[in-house]
Amino acid sequence: MIITRETDYATRILRSLTDMQLKNIREISDDQLIPRQFAYKISKKMEKAGYIEIVRGAQGGCRLIRDLHDITLMDLITVMDRENMVSSCLESGYFCPYRKRQYDGCSVHNSLCQIQHKLTEYFSTFTLYDMMFNHADSFEMK
């Protein structure tokens, strides 16, 4: 599982909104160094997830409506990427001719499943609040 550029941009958008003020996409994009076309698309996904509110109109913008203590990194990854797996062989609907031929399974696939599970568990321990306001050295890999 790799944190995609989209998830990175989503984190930056949320970081820009931590003051709970209404900000337009131009402000957010300029402040967080995000291309505007991505900021619009990502903002819509976060609105649909209930993380932000988008106010339309001349005086509109975006506002954080969810407590960052309640959103984990894994939550955000899921909202942004839906099926962001460590390998394409773990994605639903992926056909692997090697696995089909091996009746006893594929040890690489099984290992990747374990890695995916551990990463999902680990990323679920980080709240966005902790990521944004605590030092990185407080997060130890277990």
Side-chain angles (χ1 to χ4, degrees), residues 41-53:
K41 176 183 165 190
I42 293 165
S43 296
K44 288 177 185 175
K45 283 185 177 184
M46 289 196 294
E47 179 185 41
K48 187 175 179 181
Y51 296 171
I52 66 171
E53 169 188 34

Side-chain angles (χ1 to χ4, degrees), residues 13 23-30 36 39-40 43 61-62:
I13 291 169
K23 294 183 182 170
N24 66 45
I25 292 295
R26 179 179 298 138
E27 286 177 273
I28 295 168
S29 296
D30 292 347
R36 270 189 212 126
Y40 283 113
S43 296
C62 301

Side-chain angles (χ1 to χ4, degrees), residues 89-90 94 96-103 105-106 109:
C89 84
L90 300 179
Y94 179 81
C96 177
Y98 181 82
R99 266 186 42 224
K100 183 176 176 158
R101 187 179 72 189
Q102 299 302 109
Y103 298 108
C106 173
H109 177 82

Side-chain angles (χ1 to χ4, degrees), residues 1-40:
M1 175 179 314
I2 298 172
I3 297 173
T4 63
R5 184 174 299 174
E6 191 172 36
T7 298
D8 175 41
Y9 288 165
T11 304
R12 294 187 207 185
I13 291 169
L14 292 173
R15 177 176 60 194
S16 180
L17 298 174
T18 58
D19 63 3
M20 307 303 279
Q21 299 299 310
L22 188 67
K23 294 183 182 170
N24 66 45
I25 292 295
R26 179 179 298 138
E27 286 177 273
I28 295 168
S29 296
D30 292 347
D31 181 48
Q32 297 296 318
L33 306 172
I34 302 169
R36 270 189 212 126
Q37 69 272 18
F38 290 116
Y40 283 113

Side-chain angles (χ1 to χ4, degrees), residues 15 26 29 39 44 50 62 67 88 95 107 110 138-139 141:
R15 177 176 60 194
R26 179 179 298 138
S29 296
K44 288 177 185 175
C62 301
D67 188 339
S88 58
F95 175 75
S107 62
N110 294 339
S138 65
F139 300 110
M141 186 82 167

